[in-house]
Amino acid sequence: MKINVKNLGCQNFEGFMGRKEVKLDKLNMSFVAGGQGGGKITSEPVRLGYYGYFYNTCKEDNMNIKSILESLDSVNYKILQLDKYDGASKDREIGKEAIKENVNLLKEKLITDKKIIDSDFTWIVVALGGGTGNGSLNSVSQIVSGMMRKNKRYLGKPTVGIIAAVPEGFAKQKIWLNTAKALQEIKELQKSGLIGACLLIDNEKLMNDYLKKSEDTKDWTTYGNTTVARLLAELDGLISLPGKETFDKSELLDIYSTPGFFSIGKMRISDIEKYKEKYKEKYNELIKDSFVENNLFCDGYDYKTAVHGGMAVLRPSNSKIFTTKDTLRLKMEMSKFLDSPMVEVTHFGIYDNDEYGTYKHSEKKDEALIYTLVSLKDLPSHINKMTKKALEREKAKQEQMKKENTDLEDMLSGIVEPKREKKIELSIEDIFNTKDDRVQKESKKEENAFDQL
C-alpha cells in the first residue's frame, strides 16, 4: 500500500517515507473505533489507507465521520449505528447498556469482517472519559480478541491492542471515574491474555505540546490525532526498509503484542557539534533522552517496570553523527536502560538513510532519527494518582450517601406518633343541624324525661 498524497491532509511524514522500498501495510493493521473520541483518532489512519470499523450510539458523530471519509480516495471503512440510542452523554453505564442491547448486532457484523480477521494486528480505539467507547471497551475487546485468537496469534500473544485517550488533569470527577474503571478493565484484559499493548494518549500532554508549536494552525485535537497516525505509519514504513541490522515486522509485532502500557518516542539529531558537546560520548544520557524526554504521548512512566522494548536508528550513509561503533554503544546502553527482570529481549535496528526533510520536500543532510518503543507494567505516575483519587472520591461519596440514608432511617424511626384524640361520632343530623337546633332538641329530651318521671 503506497501513500496516497491526496489523502494526507495535515500529515507531514518524515522524508524516508518517500523511499521506494517503503510499504505502508508491511504490518497489516486494522482499527476498531468506539464513540466520538475513538472515531476521530481512527479517521486519520483510515485517511492513510488502513482499514477502520466505526461504531457509535450517536448518529451525528457517525455522519460526521462519513462526511470526512467520503471526500477521500480509496479508503476502507465501515460504520455501524447502535440501535435505540442517541449518544451516551459521557455516561459509562449508558454505553454499557447500549452494547448489551446491541451485542448480537456487533457480533454479527464484527466476527464476519474479513478485513479485521485477515489483519496482522488490530487496535481498539476509544476515549476513556466518554460513554460509548468506554462502556463498550470490555465487550468489544473480548469479541475482537476472540476473532483474532481463532485466526492469528503471535507466539501465543494477543494480536489485539488498545489506543486509549486519557482526559486532561482538569477534567471533572465523572470523567476521571470513567477512566479509572476502564483502566481497571484494561489491566484485567491484559492479565487474561486477551489484549497486548495499550497506547495511552495523554490529552493534556498533547495540548501542551501543541501550544509550544506556534507554527501549527490546526486545532490541538487534529494535531494529536495526526501524530498518533503518523507514528504508527512511520513505524510500519520503517520495518519495510533494508538495513544493516533490521528492526523487522516480527519484532514490531512482538512489542505490540506484549501486555503493558506502551510508549513511543522520537528524537531528531541534526547539529553534530551540539550533539557532541551535549553528550560527549555519554550514550546512557542519549538513551535516556530518547526514551524519556522525547516520548510523544504520555509522560510519567517508571522505566524500571519495562516488560519489553526496542529502538531503531536512521542515519545518513557514512554518517558523522553515528559511526558503526556509536551504534554498537547505543545498542549496549539501550539494553542496560531496559534492564527490568521482566524484559527477556530487546530489539534494535540501524538503517542507512539519505532522505530527510519531509515526505513532500525530501532532502539530503547529516541528520539522524531515533525511534524508541517500550511496554511498561505500571501506569504513568500522574494517571495512577488521578485514577486513585477518582476511586477514593467515589468511595467517600457512596459512604456518605449510605450514612445519610441510615441517619434518615434513624430519624424517622425515632418520631413518636401523636396521641390520638377520642373519636367523636356524629350522626347525619348532628352534621347538618345548627347549634340552636341541637339546643332545642336537647331541651325536648329533658322535657320528655321529666314527663316520664
Short mmCIF file of all heavy atoms in Angstrom, two decimals, residues 282-334:
data_model
loop_
_atom_site.label_atom_id
_atom_site.label_comp_id
_atom_site.label_asym_id
_atom_site.label_seq_id
_atom_site.Cartn_x
_atom_site.Cartn_y
_atom_site.Cartn_z
N LYS A 282 28.53 10.12 26.14
CA LYS A 282 27.78 9.54 27.25
C LYS A 282 26.49 8.95 26.68
O LYS A 282 25.44 9.58 26.66
CB LYS A 282 27.49 10.59 28.32
CG LYS A 282 28.75 11.07 29.03
CD LYS A 282 28.41 12.09 30.10
CE LYS A 282 29.67 12.58 30.80
NZ LYS A 282 29.38 13.60 31.82
N TYR A 283 26.59 7.75 26.19
CA TYR A 283 25.48 7.14 25.45
C TYR A 283 24.28 6.83 26.36
O TYR A 283 23.16 6.78 25.91
CB TYR A 283 25.96 5.88 24.74
CG TYR A 283 27.03 6.19 23.72
CD1 TYR A 283 28.38 6.07 24.04
CD2 TYR A 283 26.68 6.63 22.45
CE1 TYR A 283 29.36 6.38 23.11
CE2 TYR A 283 27.66 6.94 21.52
CZ TYR A 283 29.00 6.83 21.85
OH TYR A 283 29.97 7.15 20.93
N ASN A 284 24.57 6.66 27.66
CA ASN A 284 23.46 6.41 28.58
C ASN A 284 22.54 7.63 28.66
O ASN A 284 21.31 7.50 28.78
CB ASN A 284 23.98 6.02 29.96
CG ASN A 284 24.87 7.10 30.59
OD1 ASN A 284 25.53 7.85 29.87
ND2 ASN A 284 24.90 7.16 31.90
N GLU A 285 23.12 8.84 28.59
CA GLU A 285 22.31 10.05 28.61
C GLU A 285 21.50 10.20 27.32
O GLU A 285 20.35 10.64 27.34
CB GLU A 285 23.21 11.28 28.82
CG GLU A 285 23.83 11.35 30.21
CD GLU A 285 24.62 12.63 30.42
OE1 GLU A 285 24.51 13.54 29.56
OE2 GLU A 285 25.34 12.71 31.42
N LEU A 286 22.11 9.83 26.21
CA LEU A 286 21.43 9.88 24.93
C LEU A 286 20.24 8.91 24.92
O LEU A 286 19.14 9.25 24.46
CB LEU A 286 22.39 9.54 23.80
CG LEU A 286 21.79 9.43 22.38
CD1 LEU A 286 21.11 10.72 21.98
CD2 LEU A 286 22.86 9.05 21.38
N ILE A 287 20.45 7.72 25.47
CA ILE A 287 19.37 6.73 25.54
C ILE A 287 18.23 7.25 26.42
O ILE A 287 17.05 7.14 26.07
CB ILE A 287 19.90 5.38 26.08
CG1 ILE A 287 20.81 4.72 25.05
CG2 ILE A 287 18.75 4.45 26.46
CD1 ILE A 287 20.10 4.31 23.77
N LYS A 288 18.58 7.81 27.57
CA LYS A 288 17.57 8.34 28.48
C LYS A 288 16.77 9.45 27.81
O LYS A 288 15.54 9.52 27.92
CB LYS A 288 18.23 8.86 29.75
CG LYS A 288 17.24 9.32 30.80
CD LYS A 288 17.94 9.79 32.06
CE LYS A 288 16.93 10.29 33.08
NZ LYS A 288 17.59 10.79 34.32
N ASP A 289 17.47 10.32 27.08
CA ASP A 289 16.79 11.40 26.35
C ASP A 289 15.81 10.84 25.33
O ASP A 289 14.68 11.33 25.20
CB ASP A 289 17.82 12.29 25.63
CG ASP A 289 18.17 13.52 26.44
OD1 ASP A 289 17.75 13.59 27.61
OD2 ASP A 289 18.85 14.40 25.91
N SER A 290 16.24 9.85 24.59
CA SER A 290 15.41 9.34 23.51
C SER A 290 14.17 8.61 24.04
O SER A 290 13.09 8.73 23.46
CB SER A 290 16.22 8.41 22.60
OG SER A 290 16.76 7.33 23.32
N PHE A 291 14.30 7.89 25.15
CA PHE A 291 13.16 7.16 25.70
C PHE A 291 12.26 8.05 26.57
O PHE A 291 11.03 7.98 26.46
CB PHE A 291 13.64 5.97 26.55
CG PHE A 291 13.91 4.73 25.76
CD1 PHE A 291 15.19 4.47 25.27
CD2 PHE A 291 12.91 3.81 25.50
CE1 PHE A 291 15.46 3.32 24.55
CE2 PHE A 291 13.17 2.66 24.77
CZ PHE A 291 14.44 2.41 24.28
N VAL A 292 12.89 8.85 27.44
CA VAL A 292 12.12 9.58 28.46
C VAL A 292 11.71 10.98 28.01
O VAL A 292 10.53 11.33 28.04
CB VAL A 292 12.92 9.66 29.78
CG1 VAL A 292 12.11 10.39 30.86
CG2 VAL A 292 13.32 8.27 30.25
N GLU A 293 12.69 11.76 27.59
CA GLU A 293 12.41 13.16 27.29
C GLU A 293 11.70 13.36 25.95
O GLU A 293 11.04 14.37 25.74
CB GLU A 293 13.72 13.97 27.29
CG GLU A 293 14.49 13.90 28.60
CD GLU A 293 13.69 14.40 29.79
OE1 GLU A 293 12.87 15.33 29.60
OE2 GLU A 293 13.87 13.84 30.89
N ASN A 294 11.85 12.39 25.06
CA ASN A 294 11.28 12.56 23.72
C ASN A 294 10.15 11.57 23.42
O ASN A 294 9.82 11.33 22.27
CB ASN A 294 12.38 12.41 22.67
CG ASN A 294 13.29 13.62 22.62
OD1 ASN A 294 12.99 14.63 22.00
ND2 ASN A 294 14.42 13.52 23.31
N ASN A 295 9.52 11.03 24.50
CA ASN A 295 8.33 10.23 24.24
C ASN A 295 7.20 11.17 23.82
O ASN A 295 7.16 12.34 24.21
CB ASN A 295 7.95 9.41 25.47
CG ASN A 295 7.29 10.23 26.55
OD1 ASN A 295 6.10 10.49 26.50
ND2 ASN A 295 8.07 10.66 27.53
N LEU A 296 6.31 10.68 23.02
CA LEU A 296 5.37 11.58 22.33
C LEU A 296 3.98 11.68 22.95
O LEU A 296 3.31 12.69 22.78
CB LEU A 296 5.21 11.14 20.87
CG LEU A 296 6.46 11.36 20.02
CD1 LEU A 296 6.36 10.57 18.72
CD2 LEU A 296 6.67 12.83 19.73
N PHE A 297 3.54 10.68 23.66
CA PHE A 297 2.12 10.66 24.02
C PHE A 297 1.82 10.69 25.50
O PHE A 297 0.70 11.00 25.88
CB PHE A 297 1.47 9.42 23.40
CG PHE A 297 1.59 9.38 21.90
CD1 PHE A 297 2.30 8.37 21.26
CD2 PHE A 297 1.04 10.37 21.12
CE1 PHE A 297 2.43 8.34 19.89
CE2 PHE A 297 1.17 10.37 19.74
CZ PHE A 297 1.86 9.34 19.13
N CYS A 298 2.79 10.35 26.36
CA CYS A 298 2.48 10.31 27.78
C CYS A 298 3.75 10.33 28.62
O CYS A 298 4.66 9.53 28.38
CB CYS A 298 1.66 9.04 28.10
SG CYS A 298 0.84 9.09 29.68
N ASP A 299 3.82 11.24 29.58
CA ASP A 299 4.96 11.32 30.49
C ASP A 299 4.67 10.54 31.78
O ASP A 299 3.54 10.11 32.01
CB ASP A 299 5.24 12.79 30.85
CG ASP A 299 5.70 13.59 29.64
OD1 ASP A 299 6.44 13.04 28.81
OD2 ASP A 299 5.32 14.78 29.54
N GLY A 300 5.70 10.41 32.61
CA GLY A 300 5.49 9.88 33.96
C GLY A 300 5.66 8.38 34.12
O GLY A 300 5.32 7.83 35.17
N TYR A 301 6.20 7.70 33.11
CA TYR A 301 6.42 6.26 33.23
C TYR A 301 7.65 5.97 34.09
O TYR A 301 8.62 6.72 34.07
CB TYR A 301 6.63 5.62 31.86
CG TYR A 301 5.36 5.41 31.07
CD1 TYR A 301 5.11 6.16 29.92
CD2 TYR A 301 4.43 4.46 31.45
CE1 TYR A 301 3.95 5.97 29.17
CE2 TYR A 301 3.27 4.26 30.71
CZ TYR A 301 3.04 5.01 29.58
OH TYR A 301 1.90 4.81 28.85
N ASP A 302 7.60 4.85 34.82
CA ASP A 302 8.77 4.35 35.54
C ASP A 302 9.38 3.26 34.67
O ASP A 302 8.84 2.16 34.56
CB ASP A 302 8.35 3.79 36.90
CG ASP A 302 9.53 3.24 37.70
OD1 ASP A 302 10.67 3.29 37.18
OD2 ASP A 302 9.30 2.74 38.81
N TYR A 303 10.52 3.56 34.07
CA TYR A 303 11.12 2.64 33.11
C TYR A 303 11.74 1.41 33.75
O TYR A 303 12.13 0.47 33.06
CB TYR A 303 12.12 3.39 32.23
CG TYR A 303 11.42 4.34 31.28
CD1 TYR A 303 11.04 5.61 31.70
CD2 TYR A 303 11.08 3.94 29.99
CE1 TYR A 303 10.35 6.47 30.85
CE2 TYR A 303 10.41 4.80 29.13
CZ TYR A 303 10.04 6.05 29.57
OH TYR A 303 9.35 6.90 28.72
N LYS A 304 11.77 1.40 35.08
CA LYS A 304 12.22 0.20 35.78
C LYS A 304 11.16 -0.90 35.72
O LYS A 304 11.44 -2.05 36.07
CB LYS A 304 12.55 0.52 37.23
CG LYS A 304 13.76 1.43 37.39
CD LYS A 304 14.01 1.78 38.86
CE LYS A 304 15.20 2.72 39.00
NZ LYS A 304 15.41 3.13 40.41
N THR A 305 9.94 -0.53 35.29
CA THR A 305 8.86 -1.53 35.17
C THR A 305 8.68 -1.98 33.72
O THR A 305 7.65 -2.54 33.38
CB THR A 305 7.53 -0.97 35.69
OG1 THR A 305 7.03 0.04 34.78
CG2 THR A 305 7.68 -0.37 37.08
N ALA A 306 9.69 -1.75 32.87
CA ALA A 306 9.60 -2.15 31.46
C ALA A 306 9.44 -3.67 31.34
O ALA A 306 10.03 -4.43 32.11
CB ALA A 306 10.84 -1.70 30.71
N VAL A 307 8.61 -4.07 30.38
CA VAL A 307 8.43 -5.51 30.12
C VAL A 307 8.93 -5.89 28.72
O VAL A 307 9.16 -7.06 28.43
CB VAL A 307 6.96 -5.94 30.29
CG1 VAL A 307 6.55 -5.83 31.74
CG2 VAL A 307 6.02 -5.13 29.41
N HIS A 308 9.09 -4.89 27.85
CA HIS A 308 9.61 -5.15 26.50
C HIS A 308 10.00 -3.81 25.87
O HIS A 308 9.54 -2.75 26.32
CB HIS A 308 8.54 -5.82 25.64
CG HIS A 308 9.11 -6.67 24.53
ND1 HIS A 308 10.42 -6.59 24.12
CD2 HIS A 308 8.54 -7.61 23.73
CE1 HIS A 308 10.64 -7.44 23.15
NE2 HIS A 308 9.51 -8.09 22.89
N GLY A 309 10.82 -3.83 24.85
CA GLY A 309 11.18 -2.58 24.20
C GLY A 309 12.20 -2.75 23.10
O GLY A 309 12.69 -3.84 22.83
N GLY A 310 12.51 -1.62 22.47
CA GLY A 310 13.49 -1.62 21.40
C GLY A 310 13.67 -0.24 20.82
O GLY A 310 13.00 0.72 21.24
N MET A 311 14.58 -0.12 19.84
CA MET A 311 14.77 1.17 19.19
C MET A 311 15.31 0.95 17.77
O MET A 311 15.89 -0.10 17.46
CB MET A 311 15.74 2.06 19.98
CG MET A 311 17.18 1.59 20.04
SD MET A 311 18.21 2.63 21.15
CE MET A 311 18.12 4.22 20.34
N ALA A 312 15.05 1.95 16.94
CA ALA A 312 15.54 1.92 15.56
C ALA A 312 16.18 3.26 15.25
O ALA A 312 15.65 4.31 15.60
CB ALA A 312 14.40 1.64 14.59
N VAL A 313 17.34 3.22 14.59
CA VAL A 313 18.09 4.44 14.27
C VAL A 313 18.22 4.56 12.75
O VAL A 313 18.64 3.62 12.08
CB VAL A 313 19.50 4.39 14.90
CG1 VAL A 313 20.29 5.65 14.53
CG2 VAL A 313 19.41 4.23 16.41
N LEU A 314 17.85 5.74 12.24
CA LEU A 314 18.08 6.05 10.82
C LEU A 314 19.18 7.10 10.77
O LEU A 314 19.06 8.17 11.37
CB LEU A 314 16.82 6.60 10.15
CG LEU A 314 15.73 5.59 9.81
CD1 LEU A 314 14.84 5.32 11.03
CD2 LEU A 314 14.87 6.09 8.66
N ARG A 315 20.25 6.80 10.06
CA ARG A 315 21.38 7.71 9.98
C ARG A 315 21.78 7.88 8.51
O ARG A 315 21.55 6.99 7.68
CB ARG A 315 22.56 7.16 10.76
CG ARG A 315 23.04 5.84 10.18
CD ARG A 315 24.30 5.33 10.82
NE ARG A 315 24.82 4.19 10.06
CZ ARG A 315 25.93 3.56 10.33
NH1 ARG A 315 26.68 3.95 11.36
NH2 ARG A 315 26.34 2.54 9.59
N PRO A 316 22.41 8.98 8.17
CA PRO A 316 22.88 9.16 6.80
C PRO A 316 24.00 8.17 6.47
O PRO A 316 24.72 7.72 7.37
CB PRO A 316 23.41 10.60 6.77
CG PRO A 316 22.82 11.25 7.97
CD PRO A 316 22.64 10.17 8.99
N SER A 317 24.15 7.85 5.19
CA SER A 317 25.26 7.00 4.77
C SER A 317 26.58 7.70 5.13
O SER A 317 26.71 8.92 5.00
CB SER A 317 25.21 6.76 3.26
OG SER A 317 23.98 6.17 2.90
N ASN A 318 27.55 6.94 5.60
CA ASN A 318 28.85 7.49 6.03
C ASN A 318 28.65 8.60 7.06
O ASN A 318 29.25 9.67 6.98
CB ASN A 318 29.64 8.03 4.82
CG ASN A 318 29.85 6.96 3.78
OD1 ASN A 318 30.23 5.83 4.11
ND2 ASN A 318 29.61 7.31 2.52
N SER A 319 27.76 8.35 8.01
CA SER A 319 27.35 9.37 8.98
C SER A 319 28.49 9.84 9.88
O SER A 319 29.33 9.05 10.31
CB SER A 319 26.23 8.81 9.86
OG SER A 319 25.90 9.73 10.86
N LYS A 320 28.48 11.14 10.13
CA LYS A 320 29.39 11.72 11.09
C LYS A 320 28.73 11.78 12.47
O LYS A 320 29.38 12.10 13.47
CB LYS A 320 29.80 13.12 10.65
CG LYS A 320 30.60 13.16 9.35
CD LYS A 320 30.93 14.58 8.96
CE LYS A 320 31.69 14.62 7.63
NZ LYS A 320 31.97 16.01 7.21
N ILE A 321 27.44 11.53 12.51
CA ILE A 321 26.70 11.56 13.78
C ILE A 321 26.84 10.22 14.49
O ILE A 321 27.29 10.15 15.62
CB ILE A 321 25.22 11.89 13.54
CG1 ILE A 321 25.09 13.29 12.93
CG2 ILE A 321 24.42 11.83 14.86
CD1 ILE A 321 23.68 13.69 12.60
N PHE A 322 26.46 9.15 13.81
CA PHE A 322 26.56 7.81 14.39
C PHE A 322 27.46 6.93 13.52
O PHE A 322 27.05 6.50 12.44
CB PHE A 322 25.19 7.17 14.52
CG PHE A 322 24.30 7.80 15.55
CD1 PHE A 322 23.02 8.19 15.23
CD2 PHE A 322 24.76 8.00 16.84
CE1 PHE A 322 22.20 8.77 16.17
CE2 PHE A 322 23.94 8.58 17.79
CZ PHE A 322 22.66 8.97 17.46
N THR A 323 28.66 6.70 14.01
CA THR A 323 29.53 5.74 13.32
C THR A 323 29.07 4.33 13.69
O THR A 323 28.19 4.15 14.53
CB THR A 323 30.99 5.93 13.75
OG1 THR A 323 31.11 5.59 15.14
CG2 THR A 323 31.44 7.37 13.54
N THR A 324 29.68 3.34 13.09
CA THR A 324 29.34 1.95 13.40
C THR A 324 29.60 1.65 14.87
O THR A 324 28.82 0.95 15.53
CB THR A 324 30.16 0.99 12.51
OG1 THR A 324 29.90 1.30 11.14
CG2 THR A 324 29.77 -0.44 12.78
N LYS A 325 30.68 2.20 15.42
CA LYS A 325 30.98 2.00 16.84
C LYS A 325 29.95 2.69 17.73
O LYS A 325 29.56 2.16 18.77
CB LYS A 325 32.39 2.51 17.16
CG LYS A 325 33.50 1.64 16.61
CD LYS A 325 34.86 2.16 17.05
CE LYS A 325 35.98 1.24 16.53
NZ LYS A 325 37.31 1.74 16.94
N ASP A 326 29.50 3.88 17.29
CA ASP A 326 28.49 4.60 18.05
C ASP A 326 27.20 3.78 18.17
O ASP A 326 26.58 3.71 19.24
CB ASP A 326 28.16 5.94 17.38
CG ASP A 326 29.28 6.94 17.52
OD1 ASP A 326 30.00 6.88 18.53
OD2 ASP A 326 29.42 7.79 16.62
N THR A 327 26.80 3.20 17.06
CA THR A 327 25.54 2.43 17.07
C THR A 327 25.66 1.19 17.95
O THR A 327 24.69 0.79 18.61
CB THR A 327 25.13 2.02 15.64
OG1 THR A 327 26.18 1.27 15.03
CG2 THR A 327 24.84 3.24 14.80
N LEU A 328 26.84 0.60 18.00
CA LEU A 328 27.04 -0.55 18.88
C LEU A 328 26.91 -0.12 20.34
O LEU A 328 26.29 -0.82 21.16
CB LEU A 328 28.42 -1.17 18.63
CG LEU A 328 28.80 -2.35 19.53
CD1 LEU A 328 27.79 -3.48 19.41
CD2 LEU A 328 30.21 -2.84 19.20
N ARG A 329 27.49 1.05 20.67
CA ARG A 329 27.38 1.55 22.05
C ARG A 329 25.93 1.88 22.40
O ARG A 329 25.48 1.66 23.53
CB ARG A 329 28.27 2.78 22.21
CG ARG A 329 29.77 2.47 22.15
CD ARG A 329 30.59 3.69 22.53
NE ARG A 329 32.02 3.41 22.48
CZ ARG A 329 32.84 3.77 21.50
NH1 ARG A 329 32.35 4.45 20.46
NH2 ARG A 329 34.12 3.48 21.54
N LEU A 330 25.20 2.42 21.43
CA LEU A 330 23.78 2.71 21.65
C LEU A 330 23.01 1.44 21.98
O LEU A 330 22.18 1.41 22.90
CB LEU A 330 23.17 3.36 20.40
CG LEU A 330 23.38 4.85 20.19
CD1 LEU A 330 22.77 5.27 18.87
CD2 LEU A 330 22.74 5.64 21.31
N LYS A 331 23.27 0.41 21.23
CA LYS A 331 22.60 -0.87 21.44
C LYS A 331 22.89 -1.41 22.85
O LYS A 331 21.98 -1.90 23.55
CB LYS A 331 23.04 -1.87 20.38
CG LYS A 331 22.33 -3.21 20.44
CD LYS A 331 22.80 -4.11 19.30
CE LYS A 331 22.08 -5.45 19.34
NZ LYS A 331 22.50 -6.34 18.22
N MET A 332 24.15 -1.31 23.27
CA MET A 332 24.54 -1.79 24.59
C MET A 332 23.87 -0.98 25.70
O MET A 332 23.38 -1.54 26.69
CB MET A 332 26.06 -1.74 24.73
CG MET A 332 26.80 -2.72 23.81
SD MET A 332 28.58 -2.39 23.69
CE MET A 332 29.11 -2.71 25.38
N GLU A 333 23.86 0.34 25.53
CA GLU A 333 23.25 1.20 26.55
C GLU A 333 21.74 1.02 26.61
O GLU A 333 21.15 1.12 27.69
CB GLU A 333 23.61 2.66 26.29
CG GLU A 333 25.05 3.01 26.55
CD GLU A 333 25.47 2.77 28.01
OE1 GLU A 333 24.61 2.87 28.91
OE2 GLU A 333 26.66 2.48 28.23
N MET A 334 21.10 0.79 25.46
CA MET A 334 19.66 0.54 25.46
C MET A 334 19.34 -0.70 26.28
O MET A 334 18.39 -0.74 27.07
CB MET A 334 19.14 0.37 24.04
CG MET A 334 17.66 0.04 23.99
SD MET A 334 17.12 -0.67 22.42
CE MET A 334 17.97 -2.26 22.45
#
